[in-house]
Amino acid sequence: MLAAVNAAEYREEAEAFLSALDREYYLHFSGRKDDFEIEPIYARHAGLFSREAVESLRDGDSRALLRFAAEGYVEQAVKELSAEFARLEASLEVELEGESFPYRQAAVIQANERDPGRRRALERERNELVATRLNPLLREMLDRSRELVRELGWPSVRAMTEELSGIDLGALAQQTEAFLAATEDGYEAIVEPPLRTETGLGFDELERADLASFFRAPSLDGQFPAERLLPTFEETLEGLGLRNGSPGNVILDAEPRPNKSPRAFCAPVRVPEEVYLVLTRIGGREDYETLLHEAGHAEHFSHVDPALPVEHRYLGDNSVTEGFAFLFQHLVEDPAWLERRLGITDPEPIVSHARASKLVFLRRYCAKIGYELELQGDGPVDGLEKLYARRLSEAVHVDWPEANWLSDVDPFFYVAAYLRAWALETHLRREMRDRFGDLWFEDRRAGEVLRELWSGGQREPAHELLRRLTGAELDFSALLD
Ligand SMILES: [Zn+2]
């Protein structure tokens, strides 16, 4: 590393920045604070993301730190736009039949709405707001980001991400195209029966507006009572020997607030000592799924070895943390877990619903990565809303709106982390069952294995972690089973 940046000081400041940013994120998206004041945080730590810092880190020994600096260089330059976006999104209202709701609540209301007419009207209103109010800002952010990445010397976001993450996105997209082809013929036969049970609709009448209601699965509500939500979570951690009577480093925020994000999330404010697990209740099965998913993240971050450098505690390959999140989430469709935690003796409807929704999700993400490679490649962006809508429509078999072509994109190919995480989870789950049996989630030895894996943070990327654990190669085709 060049003298311009002192590595120890850089790491210390990076940690202060990440912690402050995650705290602000937590306060705003948990609905505790209306403002989303990230500009002063970037201003306080501007040196982290200067051109000089990026250039010095190019010669350093940590690709994760270089990635942090390069992505931060882009993010700090669009921070006013991000903050404006968050404020605007929090202030928007959706009108429906004379009633108005906060925009961020509309997704939850739509998922709970039993009347298809009202669901579709809500979706039209939401899409209209996205297209007219949010997309202009998102487009400005996208264009600016593409320019900034070129200023740093990469031809595209894709090229930068591939080099700095070490993930071959093109190869991953080939695997996901193969998955789309292999599941095309059987797709509707797997999805349609539970789809009819939940929505009364077949693919001939299905609209995108109905999907949230399908995932929400109202017919399964009776089996997922609200009062068992937190106890099953506590019992699961206890079964793995992860709590031993102490609350640990995880702080659960389950209180309802009007401006709370409709998506549950985990905010690792200080890793491993202070990790927030924020839950928004929608009702039924999904609450269990999201709580356990976010609990997987929270347990991962709260068990990281505090002696590791900041890049291995906070940064690195997010396929790893998402893999643990999916491992926990998957328990909600595991017949043994359903029986032990919820006394469910006929898990079939839950299992087939879960299989169907997972297939919809997987195909959606498989379609998304191919689209994002175009959006974040070095070609033109105009007109790609058509490609987005076409790819998603073909994958999910519903008319997919163009409006979400920018809002449905997570920064810097996070889509790849989800896809790799699904593959990692498939392997991890198999390993747990092979070693500890169907009741692995009640075996403290399984908890020990997880603790050991978690202690490494994200030092190893997902494919290396898997190779060390089982000798297997991380390949998306593992999901075809
Ligand atoms: Zn996650």
Side-chain angles (χ1 to χ4, degrees):
M1 211 177 273
L2 298 181
V5 170
N6 173 299
E9 283 171 17
Y10 191 89
R11 286 190 165 93
E12 199 178 309
E13 191 171 350
E15 180 151 5
F17 167 82
L18 285 164
S19 185
L21 195 65
D22 268 336
R23 192 178 300 285
E24 190 63 19
Y25 188 92
Y26 163 67
L27 290 172
H28 178 72
F29 288 98
S30 66
R32 285 177 179 274
K33 184 179 171 202
D34 286 342
D35 270 345
F36 185 45
E37 295 173 287
I38 58 171
E39 296 106 317
I41 300 172
Y42 276 99
R44 261 200 323 274
H45 302 286
L48 287 172
F49 310 119
S50 64
R51 273 300 281 275
E52 298 70 48
V54 176
E55 295 311 326
S56 304
L57 288 162
R58 276 189 212 272
D59 306 318
D61 52 4
S62 171
R63 204 157 52 172
L65 275 188
L66 174 57
R67 186 180 184 185
F68 165 75
E71 292 184 357
Y73 177 79
V74 174
E75 279 163 353
Q76 64 83 27
V78 299
K79 64 182 182 298
E80 285 86 4
L81 293 169
S82 323
E84 194 184 333
F85 181 85
R87 279 190 292 264
L88 177 62
E89 197 191 50
S91 73
L92 290 178
E93 301 260 321
V94 177
E95 305 278 338
L96 183 66
E97 294 165 7
E99 262 185 286
S100 68
F101 316 96
Y103 170 78
R104 283 186 183 162
Q105 286 297 311
V108 178
I109 295 166
Q110 189 179 323
N112 280 322
E113 177 57 60
R114 303 296 292 268
D115 172 8
R118 278 174 63 86
R119 286 200 296 259
R120 292 165 185 187
L122 250 178
E123 165 115 347
R124 277 195 298 277
E125 290 294 318
R126 287 172 63 205
N127 288 345
E128 182 66 19
L129 282 176
V130 172
T132 58
R133 304 293 305 279
L134 299 176
N135 278 354
L137 266 175
L138 289 173
R139 179 62 196 268
E140 211 179 324
M141 285 160 79
L142 176 76
D143 290 344
R144 188 80 190 99
S145 309
R146 286 165 55 102
E147 272 165 40
L148 289 155
V149 163
R150 282 195 293 268
E151 276 172 30
L152 291 178
W154 281 283
S156 63
V157 174
R158 173 187 176 170
M160 179 177 116
T161 306
E162 286 192 314
E163 185 185 328
L164 299 186
S165 68
I167 296 169
D168 184 341
L169 296 171
L172 181 59
Q174 274 174 11
Q175 293 173 16
T176 58
E177 289 306 311
F179 182 87
L180 281 171
T183 54
E184 175 63 30
D185 287 347
Y187 173 64
E188 292 198 6
I190 289 173
V191 177
E192 187 141 326
L195 180 67
R196 279 201 184 279
T197 308
E198 298 307 332
T199 64
L201 304 167
F203 272 100
D204 51 339
E205 304 155 288
L206 183 70
E207 293 193 16
R208 215 270 306 237
D210 308 314
L211 282 176
S213 174
F214 167 57
F215 297 139
R216 167 71 182 74
S219 87
L220 304 175
D221 276 1
Q223 312 206 58
F224 293 97
E227 68 276 10
R228 283 291 293 150
L229 178 67
L230 294 177
T232 55
F233 156 73
E234 297 293 345
E235 288 160 18
T236 301
L237 296 182
E238 231 164 80
L240 288 162
L242 294 173
R243 275 293 186 269
N244 304 318
S246 89
N249 297 329
V250 177
I251 301 146
L252 179 70
D253 177 341
E255 225 180 279
R257 293 181 202 100
N259 244 334
K260 207 171 191 181
S261 158
R263 259 170 88 164
F265 64 93
C266 163
V269 172
R270 287 189 303 132
V271 180
E273 304 87 358
E274 185 185 354
V275 178
Y276 291 91
L277 203 183
V278 182
L279 175 67
T280 306
R281 287 171 192 260
I282 297 178
R285 186 196 58 84
E286 265 194 320
D287 285 351
Y288 281 72
E289 241 190 6
T290 50
L291 175 58
L292 283 172
H293 178 97
E294 299 306 324
H297 287 306
E299 291 305 311
H300 174 219
F301 285 116
S302 67
H303 281 93
V304 172
D305 179 354
L308 286 176
V310 57
E311 63 269 31
H312 299 327
R313 279 179 293 126
Y314 287 81
L315 309 172
D317 179 9
N318 284 323
S319 328
V320 173
T321 191
E322 294 300 341
F324 293 123
F326 286 140
L327 180 70
F328 273 45
Q329 177 182 341
H330 191 276
L331 288 169
V332 179
E333 59 186 272
D334 180 325
W337 187 90
L338 289 166
E339 193 190 344
R340 299 287 292 175
R341 296 281 77 81
L342 290 167
I344 292 168
T345 48
D346 175 19
E348 203 285 321
I350 297 170
V351 172
S352 53
H353 175 268
R355 185 164 179 246
S357 12
K358 186 168 180 184
L359 187 55
V360 175
F361 261 98
L362 288 172
R363 287 178 57 91
R364 180 179 153 222
Y365 274 80
C366 287
K368 243 159 75 80
I369 191 170
Y371 158 70
E372 290 192 23
L373 285 174
E374 292 296 320
L375 184 75
Q376 308 282 26
D378 47 18
V381 166
D382 282 332
L384 286 182
E385 66 271 27
K386 300 260 178 302
L387 175 71
Y388 170 74
R390 179 166 56 76
R391 285 199 57 108
L392 272 290
S393 301
E394 282 170 5
V396 185
H397 295 201
V398 297
D399 273 333
W400 201 272
E402 291 176 8
N404 302 103
W405 71 297
L406 297 171
S407 58
D408 191 19
V409 175
D410 293 313
F412 303 108
F413 287 97
Y414 206 88
V415 58
Y418 284 129
L419 289 164
R420 283 161 53 87
W422 272 308
L424 175 64
E425 186 270 340
T426 307
H427 288 279
L428 284 173
R429 177 156 37 93
R430 199 178 293 153
E431 181 72 6
M432 288 293 158
R433 285 217 183 106
D434 286 352
R435 282 166 76 170
F436 308 112
D438 285 348
L439 296 180
W440 65 267
F441 53 85
E442 288 183 357
D443 196 321
R444 283 165 176 260
R445 292 171 305 165
E448 279 307 313
V449 172
L450 290 173
R451 268 176 206 269
E452 193 279 319
L453 293 171
W454 291 337
S455 70
Q458 298 196 123
R459 189 183 50 218
E460 291 168 306
H463 53 278
E464 284 176 21
L465 180 141
L466 181 64
R467 209 178 287 145
R468 180 167 64 86
L469 184 69
T470 70
E473 291 300 319
L474 188 71
D475 185 322
F476 195 75
S477 63
L479 282 151
L480 281 173
D481 305 346

